[in-house]
């Protein structure tokens, strides 16, 4: 087992992150013990409740608190104010108060909505995160961002809420659908690309273990890969808790990724899949503009290309591309901050990048990588 610690500024206590295979029972118990006095509410979804029934109550057996659950429906479309409201209803019905401990047990959707509930119920109660998808383990459970969606915009309503601790157990990845695992790999690899060249090299050498893990034998590799990837996220979050500066590096691959998600109405591709194509394009752009050496581009491409899920986009002209990149048509700002690479492990932000500069490179990318990113003819 590995332990990382997130330190927060201004006297706020930091919190531990435990990473390992089969560690949940023992570690959750240790982290919950100081807070599990009267009531613990486990927020989870229907899928996890079916796969791992009473897993958490078993782990916490013997602690003085009563353990109750709050099960929400499965899916991004339930990441809403309505679901949040149902969580408050359940907490009220259970007699929750400021001493109640909340445990978020699930993927990024559960983590985001349960985190929001913990950040706002009675002005904030203590919370532990037990992430069960790869996306949640390397990304959403760390950093304290929580949110629900507004019908007009994803993640539009939220608060910053840090947990008391995070338990990352590889064992949960064993039941994760292959497509979800694959999509999560891009966020894991992203941390190597933006800030840790050695992590990139480590992953590049053992890519077969990423794609089709043999859980009985690959535990040590995954523990190391997750720990290093999570360490990057922790470092960036620590340097910029509320997202004013360096945290923007985490958006590597996300500019085109968001465009792909919006253009396909969030229905065709998982977030990680869209970001995978976006990462390849951001590297392509970095090379085209003379920032990224050919050799580093070649390595990045060799690692990502076999993992990428090809996307097919509806017809797209420069005007539509521009509006999508700028998100908000009314926005006075006619440029974006593009996250680019100088090398593996070294990002920078190119301020005031205009869609008109990106468009010809995007067209070239689509021509050269038709198997990865196809755009329908108008
Ligand atoms: N807060 C942040 O910083 C942050 C960062 C990245 C993503 N997010 C958010 O996270 C969400 C995406 O998270 P996600 O990719 O984990 O999706 P998800 O939570 O929808 O989980 C994906 C699917 O896997 C199932 N699942 C979860 N754990 C499982 C397991 N162990 N075995 C089998 N099935 C399992 C879920 O029920 C769901 O059907 C998005 O809403 C995104 O906005 C937040
Ligand atoms: Zn992302």
């Amino acid at each position: 087992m590995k332990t990382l610690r997130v330190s927060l500024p201004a006297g706020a206590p930091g919190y531990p992150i435990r990473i390992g295979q089969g560690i949940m029972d023992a570690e959750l118990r240790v982290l919950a013990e100081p807070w599990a006095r009267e009531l613990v509410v486990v927020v989870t979804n229907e899928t996890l409740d079916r796969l791992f029934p009473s897993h958490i109550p078993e782990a916490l057996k013997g602690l003085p608190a009563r353990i109750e659950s709050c099960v929400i429906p499965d899916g991004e479309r339930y990441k809403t104010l309505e679901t949040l409201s149902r969580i408050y209803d359940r907490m009220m019905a259970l007699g929750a108060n400021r001493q109640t401990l909340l445990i978020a047990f699930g993927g990024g959707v559960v983590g985001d909505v349960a985190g929001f509930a913990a950040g706002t119920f009675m002005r904030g109660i203590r919370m532990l995160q037990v992430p069960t998808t790869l996306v949640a383990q390397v990304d959403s459970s760390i950093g304290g961002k929580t949110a629900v969606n507004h019908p007009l915009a994803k993640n539009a309503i939220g608060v910053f809420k840090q947990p008391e601790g995070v338990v990352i157990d590889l064992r949960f990845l064993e039941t994760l659908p292959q497509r979800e695992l694959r999509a999560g790999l891009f966020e894991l690899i992203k941390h190597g690309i933006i800030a840790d060249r050695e992590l990139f090299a480590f992953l590049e050498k053992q890519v077969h273990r990423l794609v089709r893990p043999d859980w009985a034998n690959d535990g040590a590799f995954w523990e190391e890969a997750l720990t290093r990837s999570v360490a990057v996220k922790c470092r960036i979050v620590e340097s910029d808790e509320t997202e004013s500066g360096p945290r923007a590096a985490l958006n590597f691959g996300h500019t085109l990724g968001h465009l792909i998600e919006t253009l396909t109405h969030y229905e065709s591709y998982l977030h990680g899949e869209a970001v995978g194509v976006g990462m390849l394009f951001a590297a392509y752009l970095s090379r085209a503009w003379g920032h990224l050496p050919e050799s580093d581009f070649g390595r990045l491409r060799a690692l990502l290309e076999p993992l990428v899920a090809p996307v097919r986009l509806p017809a797209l002209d420069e005007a539509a591309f521009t509006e999508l990149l700028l998100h908000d048509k009314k926005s006075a700002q006619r440029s974006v901050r593009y996250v680019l690479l100088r090398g593996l492990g070294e990002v920078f932000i190119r301020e005031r990048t205009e869609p008109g500069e990106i468009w010809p490179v995007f067209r070239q990318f689509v021509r050269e990588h038709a198997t990865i990113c196809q755009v329908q003819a108008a």
Side-chain angles (χ1 to χ4, degrees):
M1 187 188 69
K2 303 267 197 311
T3 298
L4 294 168
R5 211 180 158 78
V6 179
S7 339
L8 299 172
Y15 56 90
I17 302 172
R18 309 247 191 259
I19 304 171
Q21 196 172 23
I23 61 163
M24 202 277 275
D25 294 13
E27 294 309 317
L28 185 68
R29 194 185 166 81
V30 171
L31 290 177
E33 221 217 86
W35 320 113
R37 303 221 174 88
E38 289 171 26
L39 174 64
V40 177
V41 180
V42 182
V43 179
T44 190
N45 75 17
E46 286 161 351
T47 304
L48 285 151
D49 193 46
R50 202 175 55 242
L51 283 170
F52 307 104
S54 64
H55 230 66
I56 296 206
E58 281 298 320
L60 302 184
K61 217 176 191 164
L63 296 181
R66 181 162 60 95
I67 318 289
E68 300 282 358
S69 67
C70 172
V71 182
I72 64 174
D74 186 357
E76 178 76 28
R77 69 176 188 285
Y78 297 104
K79 204 174 117 174
T80 57
L81 281 172
E82 198 185 336
T83 302
L84 186 66
S85 188
R86 282 180 45 196
I87 298 175
Y88 298 140
D89 292 347
R90 174 86 176 133
M91 309 257 295
M92 287 294 180
L94 291 169
N97 59 29
R98 287 193 47 78
Q99 268 58 57
T100 300
L101 173 70
L102 188 152
I103 297 179
F105 178 49
V109 169
V110 167
D112 274 13
V113 69
F116 192 161
T120 48
F121 186 79
M122 308 263 168
R123 297 198 188 82
I125 58 172
R126 297 188 193 275
M127 171 199 40
L128 296 169
Q129 287 273 1
V130 184
T132 62
T133 64
L134 186 51
V135 166
Q137 295 190 342
V138 295
D139 196 357
S140 60
S141 67
I142 294 128
K145 280 210 282 176
T146 77
V148 296
N149 300 327
H150 182 274
L152 295 180
K154 262 198 71 154
N155 295 328
I157 311 160
V159 288
F160 280 94
K161 166 70 183 171
Q162 303 291 348
E164 306 304 316
V166 184
V167 181
I168 298 178
D169 192 333
L170 299 177
R171 190 180 38 170
F172 294 118
L173 301 180
E174 294 180 26
T175 51
L176 198 62
Q178 176 70 20
R179 187 178 172 198
E180 296 284 350
L181 186 82
R182 178 80 60 111
L185 286 179
F186 294 105
E187 304 279 6
L188 186 156
I189 297 170
K190 180 188 79 183
H191 294 148
I193 294 175
I194 63 173
D196 186 347
R197 197 178 168 93
E198 272 176 42
L199 168 59
F200 185 90
F202 175 77
L203 298 173
E204 168 181 65
K205 278 192 221 99
Q206 312 191 57
V207 61
H208 61 285
R209 296 188 205 274
L210 289 174
V211 182
R212 288 210 176 277
D214 165 5
W215 293 113
N217 295 302
D218 291 345
F221 164 78
W222 272 84
E223 186 177 298
E224 182 75 22
L226 276 175
T227 303
R228 290 200 197 183
S229 183
V230 169
V232 168
K233 172 113 195 203
C234 292
R235 264 200 336 259
I236 293 177
V237 167
E238 281 170 350
S239 67
D240 189 14
E241 198 201 346
T242 51
E243 215 170 38
S244 43
R247 203 159 170 167
L250 293 168
N251 289 334
F252 179 70
H254 283 58
T255 307
L256 187 70
H258 285 149
L259 183 144
I260 293 170
E261 290 185 284
T262 315
L263 196 55
T264 54
H265 309 288
Y266 293 92
E267 278 165 5
S268 314
Y269 307 107
L270 299 175
H271 172 72
E273 294 173 334
V275 168
V277 175
M279 283 169 35
L280 205 52
F281 177 64
Y284 184 91
L285 197 57
S286 308
R287 185 195 56 163
W289 286 345
H291 303 295
L292 181 67
E294 187 64 42
S295 56
D296 276 5
F297 177 72
R299 282 175 65 189
L300 184 143
R301 189 176 160 190
L303 178 59
L304 291 188
E305 238 177 44
L307 301 174
V308 160
V311 298
R312 286 197 68 199
L313 303 178
L316 186 65
D317 60 13
E318 184 171 355
F321 182 83
T322 299
E323 292 316 320
L324 282 164
L325 272 192
L326 299 174
H327 297 300
D328 177 6
K329 293 193 180 66
K330 292 178 292 297
S331 157
Q333 187 85 319
R334 301 304 290 172
S335 63
V336 295
R337 307 176 74 207
Y338 222 104
V339 186
L340 297 178
L341 294 176
R342 283 213 176 83
L344 290 170
E346 208 187 326
V347 273
F348 70 101
I349 315 283
R350 189 176 186 274
E351 303 285 349
R352 289 180 296 283
T353 303
E354 289 177 19
E357 301 174 85
I358 307 167
W359 173 247
V361 188
F362 177 68
R363 299 250 324 241
Q364 182 70 26
F365 175 75
V366 170
R367 274 197 296 275
E368 264 179 51
H369 296 275
T371 50
I372 285 172
C373 186
Q374 218 179 70
V375 180
Q376 267 166 16

